């Protein structure tokens, strides 16, 4: 599904920073990959490159058998819209849109007519158990509820890969459990996932855990669960 | 993004961020209201004035004395005899000398403010008054300096209530006059109350005031409109009588109309310029608020891009938002401007002449300003790279 070959990323600036170096990684379809590592080790940079939000400085990136090279912003946007979903630590809901309007956002940018998107949106609001809150605005929801809206938004368009950057870092125990449950469920039904987390318990839900340190992959472990 | 979604997403922030939207449309609202009020007022006023001038007849010619310059050796003005003899100039049919002052009229304990005209019997018809009661005084009353008066309808009501004033006496400047007629009401025009008048023979007026020259002469030509030859002859005579061409001004109806038109055109241009500047200043205020709004919503832009919004879609959303804000400002401004125009023309007692294209143009121009001011903030929003946008707190 995803293939990285010798990827590096250097942030140009007053003092150029090497964020990633010599990354080789393969992600088969249906795999749940967890990325761990200390703060500043390059996890978010890696996820941004995988998620077509940023371009690597060197190296090859293949997605679904096609090499990503010299793509226009519009093509990257369409690719993200059609095949990728994102969840962030800080929920990133649009404050002026209700829960259901936030969830339908990827479908809106895909020109899906309102009648057709309704079914998908309702289905996902139900899966994250927020059907009764769909007309609420983000400010009227708890952190855990907001993150569930964000998860529904990331999955509403059946993306090929779900990316999550520390989705439980701002949540309490019960809310974390709820997110882990949803990830477990979608993974069980074949969803490919890349998760960045500091939460060992959440990482144990993955098939495989890779560790980053100073921009390099330093260790790889297959979890008990995958066996 | 479908068009209905673009509109929905563009309108939503206006409802949520009411204060900010209100602030950004305020400048445009005031500008449009100012344009509409000022242009409508000038247009209504100038049409009222020229309508009034036209009513006086195309053959009207007015001679007025210019204010005396101090230490000049100009003559005081026309005598009554000189003013009358103008009527006998070839081509002229009528000459009515007119003097006037404002004073107080009294009847017993009751008093009323009044403009007293001293003139000939023809003044009532020249000024298009109609008699409601009694009769006008006559040329004989003028030649014999009778103390007779025709009252305006309001003055009559103030002094006599509903009683018939014919044959009763009023006091003007300490002298007693007999009421012979009452005029039909005419209503107010600008600040001038045309029904608070008292018209007396000019001979009586001059005897009372002690001034024996006339301030102005209303003339009518025999033909439907004054021709240059007739005006020339009139000026020759006035130069001879007054010894100085700077002592007086001759105005024909068409000149009065031209002056009215010139003043209103000039005023309209100046005011439109001022108003256009104020709309532009309103636009700059809006630009400021929009830029603020974009930098406040960097994260939203990042989220939209992450889920697949293209540059054009972000651009469209933010442009539409600013055009809609400006349009609402323009529409509110148009409503305010129309309201103010109605109110002010009522206060000025002139007919409202509202060109419906002016408010329409105001709204369209606002939308143009909105589009113009929206371009830069929207372009900034559209070109933000998604990772940059998401990194912001
Ligand atoms: N836009 C940027 N410009 C410069 N340096 C950056 C930028 N983004 C990240 N970095 C640097 O790259 C390194 C990796 O950052 P990041 O991928 O965010 O780490 P992590 O997500 O693991 O905490 C850090 O040293 C960070 O300071
Ligand atoms: Mg990070």
């Amino acid at each position: 599904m995803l293939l990285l070959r010798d990827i590096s990323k250097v942030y140009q600036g007053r003092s150029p920073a090497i964020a990633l170096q010599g990354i080789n990684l393969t992600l088969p379809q249906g795999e749940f990959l967890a990325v761990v590592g200390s703060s500043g080790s390059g996890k978010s940079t890696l996820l941004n490159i995988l998620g077509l939000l940023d371009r690597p400085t060197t190296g090859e990136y293949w997605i679904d058998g096609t090499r990503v090279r010299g793509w226009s912003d519009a093509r990257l946007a369409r690719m993200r819209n059609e095949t990728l979903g994102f969840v962030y630590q800080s929920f990133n809901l649009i404050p002026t849109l209700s829960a259901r309007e936030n969830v339908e956002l990827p479908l809106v940018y895909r020109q899906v007519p309102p009648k057709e998107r309704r079914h998908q949106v309702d289905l996902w609001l139900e899966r994250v158990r927020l059907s009764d809150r769909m007309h609420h605005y983000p400010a009227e929801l708890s952190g855990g509820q907001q993150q569930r809206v964000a998860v529904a938004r990331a999955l509403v368009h059946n993306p090929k890969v779900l990316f999550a950057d520390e989705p439980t870092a701002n949540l309490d125990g019960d809310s974390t459990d709820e997110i882990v449950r949803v990830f477990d469920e979608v993974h069980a039904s074949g969803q490919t996932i890349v998760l960045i987390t500091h939460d060992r318990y959440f990482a144990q839900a993955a098939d495989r855990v890779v560790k980053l340190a100073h921009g390099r992959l330093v260790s790889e472990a297959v979890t008990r669960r995958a066996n | 993004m479908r068009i209905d979604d673009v509109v929905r997403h563009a309108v939503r922030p206006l409802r949520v961020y009411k204060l900010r939207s209100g602030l950004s449309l305020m400048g445009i609202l005031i500008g449009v209201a100012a344009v509409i009020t000022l242009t409508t007022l000038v247009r209504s006023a100038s049409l009222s004035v020229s309508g009034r001038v036209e009513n006086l007849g195309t053959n009207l010619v007015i001679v007025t004395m210019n204010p005396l310059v101090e230490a000049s050796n100009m003559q005081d003005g026309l005598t009554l005899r000189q003013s009358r003899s103008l009527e006998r100039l070839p081509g002229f049919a009528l000459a009515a000398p007119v003097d006037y002052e404002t004073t107080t009229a009294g009847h017993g304990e009751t008093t009323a403010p009044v403009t007293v005209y001293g003139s000939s019997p023809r003044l009532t018809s020249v000024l298009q008054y109609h008699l409601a009661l009694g009769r006008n005084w006559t040329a004989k009353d003028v030649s014999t300096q009778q103390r007779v008066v025709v009252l305006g309808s309001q003055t009559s009501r103030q002094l006599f209530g509903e009683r018939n004033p014919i044959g009763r006496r009023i006091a003007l400047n300490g002298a007693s006059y007999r009421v012979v007629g009452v005029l039909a009401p005419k209503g107010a025009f600008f600040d001038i109350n045309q029904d608070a008048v008292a018209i007396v023979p000019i001979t009586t007026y001059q005897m009372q005031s002690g001034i024996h020259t006339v301030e102005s002469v209303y003339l009518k030509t025999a033909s439907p409109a004054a021709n240059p030859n007739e005006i020339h002859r009139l000026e020759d005579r006035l130069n001879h009588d007054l010894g100085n061409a700077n002592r007086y001004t001759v105005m024909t109806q068409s000149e009065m109309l031209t002056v009215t038109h010139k003043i209103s055109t000039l005023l309209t241009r100046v005011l439109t310029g001022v108003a256009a500047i104020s709309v532009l200043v309103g636009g700059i205020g809006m630009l400021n608020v929009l830029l603020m709004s974009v930098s406040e919503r960097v994260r939203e832009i990042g989220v939209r891009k992450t889920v697949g919004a293209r540059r054009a879609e972000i651009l469209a959303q933010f442009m539409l938002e600013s055009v809609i804000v400006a349009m609402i400002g323009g529409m509110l401004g148009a409503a305010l401007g129309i309201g103010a125009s109605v109110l002010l023309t009522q206060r000025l007692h002139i007919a409202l002449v509202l060109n419906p294209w002016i408010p329409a143009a105001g709204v369209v121009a606002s939308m143009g300003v909105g589009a113009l001011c929206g371009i830069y903030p929207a372009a900034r929003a559209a070109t933000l790279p998604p990772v940059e946008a998401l990194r912001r707190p």
Side-chain angles (χ1 to χ4, degrees), chain A residues 11 48 53-54 73-74 77-78 80-81 86 88 90 92 94-98 101 104-106 108-109 111-114 117 137 153, chain B residues 1-5 8-9 12-13 15-17 297 299-300 302-311 313-314 317 386-387 390-391:
Chain A
Y11 287 109
N48 287 338
L53 290 161
D54 206 354
D73 285 352
R78 199 179 64 231
R80 286 196 299 272
N81 180 242
F86 297 87
Y88 294 94
S90 49
N92 280 341
I94 294 178
T96 54
L97 300 179
S98 68
E101 285 170 327
E104 72 178 1
L105 210 55
V108 164
Y109 283 111
Q111 329 255 15
V112 179
R117 34 188 213 238
Y137 283 85
R153 182 177 69 192
Chain B
M1 206 175 184
R2 293 156 49 96
I3 202 78
D4 54 337
D5 288 323
R8 190 162 50 93
H9 284 217
R12 184 62 58 80
R15 275 181 21 208
V16 178
Y17 304 119
R297 287 159 68 187
R299 190 180 272 273
E300 168 185 339
V303 171
R304 287 180 185 275
K305 290 204 153 186
T306 301
V307 302
R310 282 164 304 151
R311 233 179 267 179
E313 289 167 324
I314 301 286
Q317 183 196 329
V387 237
L390 284 171
R391 214 194 337 263

Side-chain angles (χ1 to χ4, degrees), chain A residues 9-13 15-20 35-48 54 165-166 196 198 212 214-215, chain B residues 387-388 391:
Chain A
K9 176 72 182 178
V10 181
Y11 287 109
Q12 299 299 341
S15 53
I18 301 168
L20 291 176
V35 181
V36 298
S38 56
S39 170
S41 58
K43 306 183 295 295
S44 295
T45 304
L46 177 64
L47 186 127
N48 287 338
D54 206 354
D165 193 344
E166 304 189 32
I196 294 173
H198 284 299
L212 274 177
H214 306 294
Chain B
V387 237
E388 289 292 324
R391 214 194 337 263

